Amino acid sequence: MLSGQGQHNFPWVMLARLAMIHSLAAAMSSHLPNTSSSSSSPSSSSSSLGGTWILPDGRNSSLVWSGADLRPLTPVSPWDVALCVTGTLISCENALVLAALFYAPSLRAPTFILIGSLAVADLLAGLGLVLNFISIYALDTELATLVSVGLLIAAFSASILNILAITVDRYLSLYNALTYNTERTLTFTYAMLALIWLVCVALGLLPALGWNCLGDEARCSVCRPVTKNNAVALAVTFLLVFALIMQLYLQICKIAFRHAQQIAVQQHHFAAISTTKGVSTLSAILCTFAACWMPFAMYSIVADSSYPAIYMYATVLPATCNSVINPIIYAFRNPDIQKSLWLACCGCIPANFSLRPRTSSDILLNTSIT
């Protein structure tokens, strides 16, 4: 029930609110194309955009929307949304890998250090994808663009070079099996990672230091603001790294088959079968890596900013998906990391979980090095 004073003021309050709604509607309509709007006076236009209303009880009521606040929103591309979602998934996966490695102090062998470095690189790549989405649709400044692109270049370069480092580590663990777990190997691992991250940070700083096409759009590559020449240089470098990884995997397979032949008699050819399975897995890993990155590398060489953006999105999205696959290939399949995850998440290990003896396939894949 309303009091006498409330009933007396109620019609005036309603009229004031209706007047405010009418003024707001006029302000919104003034931004639509209309030939009659040009004849209106500045005073009437300004009064329609905002003002102060005096209510019967003496209170002031100001409009909260003004013409300056009413601007068209940038359409959101579904491709950018897909990249942002992919970046979020990458970040969550690799954060889980890092948590497992930090939870288990025993996982400090060179292989696990390299897996941790790969997880850091992919985590930064995922965060870079999210930051790139924010810089496009929220910040929209040159500084934000340069920072996000520099982070993506550094992170994805580190991801690829860490995969190369893991391949080198697998080769050394087979070629120098007796001296693999030594202090010299650990020092070599840290030195290799320091060189990788130094190079990648330098590459990431290039756009901010002036190697960009913000002042000349004709020099842009498919990924603005990276210049065409820089994009070609990065793509060619990737092809060289991929060729080196292939060569190392071929040497790994040769060593593995030679070891399998030496012990095939004692194990009734089980070693040869296990090694063949390991080689098949290595081939699948290599093909997956090539399928993710090769289209974008080749497209970066032949295309420039004048090409339709859909082609760039169609090649860059599979490349980012490689960072989604990396934790599955290099971390989650590892029994030691699985054990650490169970302990970190549940505080226990399932009864049906056991660290099986290492086979030649494990040696080939380095999935259970302690």
Side-chain angles (χ1 to χ4, degrees):
M1 296 295 293
L2 295 174
S3 62
Q5 183 181 0
Q7 291 177 352
H8 177 72
N9 291 336
F10 181 76
W12 294 102
V13 173
M14 291 300 298
L15 288 175
R17 291 179 179 176
L18 289 175
M20 291 172 61
I21 295 173
H22 176 73
S23 177
L24 180 59
M28 297 177 64
S29 63
S30 66
H31 291 271
L32 298 176
N34 192 346
T35 56
S36 62
S37 60
S38 59
S39 62
S40 60
S41 63
S43 60
S44 62
S45 176
S46 62
S47 63
S48 66
L49 291 177
T52 303
W53 296 87
I54 307 299
L55 298 180
D57 57 0
R59 292 179 291 111
N60 293 339
S61 176
S62 300
L63 297 180
V64 294
W65 289 354
S66 66
D69 297 327
L70 298 173
R71 62 174 182 266
L73 297 176
T74 303
V76 179
S77 170
W79 291 99
D80 288 328
V81 174
L83 288 174
C84 184
V85 172
T86 303
T88 304
L89 179 60
I90 291 171
S91 301
C92 294
E93 276 187 316
N94 289 281
L96 193 61
V97 173
L98 291 175
L101 293 176
F102 278 109
Y103 185 81
S106 60
L107 303 182
R108 295 295 180 267
T111 295
F112 296 112
I113 295 173
L114 292 172
I115 291 175
S117 179
L118 177 62
V120 170
D122 286 333
L123 174 62
L124 292 177
L127 295 176
L129 290 172
V130 177
L131 178 60
N132 184 66
F133 182 86
I134 296 174
S135 68
I136 293 174
Y137 296 102
L139 302 178
D140 195 19
T141 62
E142 289 188 359
L143 178 61
T145 301
L146 292 174
V147 170
S148 63
V149 170
L151 178 59
L152 288 173
I153 292 175
F156 281 118
S157 298
S159 178
I160 294 172
L161 291 180
N162 272 290
I163 291 176
L164 172 62
I166 290 175
T167 308
V168 172
D169 177 73
R170 287 177 171 174
Y171 172 76
L172 292 177
S173 67
L174 290 175
Y175 187 77
N176 298 320
L178 296 179
T179 60
Y180 172 77
N181 284 317
T182 61
E183 194 66 29
R184 192 175 75 173
T185 303
L186 192 61
T187 303
F188 172 75
T189 301
Y190 281 118
M192 184 167 51
L193 289 180
L195 179 61
I196 286 174
W197 282 102
L198 183 63
V199 171
C200 293
V201 169
L203 291 175
L205 289 175
L206 289 180
L209 294 177
W211 279 269
N212 60 70
C213 61
L214 293 178
D216 185 6
E217 295 292 333
R219 297 172 52 234
C220 285
S221 66
V222 293
C223 292
R224 183 181 179 275
V226 180
T227 63
K228 172 68 175 178
N229 292 336
N230 287 350
V232 171
L234 290 173
V236 172
T237 302
F238 163 78
L239 295 177
L240 294 176
V241 171
F242 179 71
L244 182 57
I245 291 175
M246 284 189 62
Q247 180 62 27
L248 287 172
Y249 271 139
L250 287 176
Q251 296 301 320
I252 289 173
C253 292
K254 289 180 180 179
I255 296 174
F257 275 120
R258 186 166 62 248
H259 288 178
Q261 290 174 356
Q262 294 173 355
I263 61 176
V265 177
Q266 291 88 347
Q267 295 191 5
H268 306 286
H269 301 282
F270 288 157
I273 296 174
S274 179
T275 302
T276 302
K277 180 181 178 181
V279 170
S280 300
T281 305
L282 285 182
S283 301
I285 292 173
L286 193 60
C287 290
T288 301
F289 180 67
C292 289
W293 277 105
M294 195 65 71
F296 180 66
M298 300 304 297
Y299 184 69
S300 298
I301 294 176
V302 302
D304 55 33
S305 58
S306 64
Y307 282 60
I310 189 174
Y311 298 145
M312 185 274 293
Y313 283 118
T315 55
V316 78
L317 186 58
T320 60
C321 288
N322 184 72
S323 294
V324 178
I325 301 173
N326 283 341
I328 301 173
I329 293 176
Y330 298 102
F332 295 148
R333 295 175 65 252
N334 188 295
D336 297 311
I337 294 180
Q338 291 176 9
K339 178 182 177 181
S340 178
L341 284 174
W342 277 108
L343 290 174
C345 297
C346 305
C348 62
I349 302 176
N352 58 353
F353 183 90
S354 62
L355 291 178
R356 55 181 173 77
R358 294 180 65 198
T359 65
S360 58
S361 176
D362 292 327
I363 299 174
L364 181 61
L365 296 171
N366 266 3
T367 59
S368 183
I369 293 179
T370 56

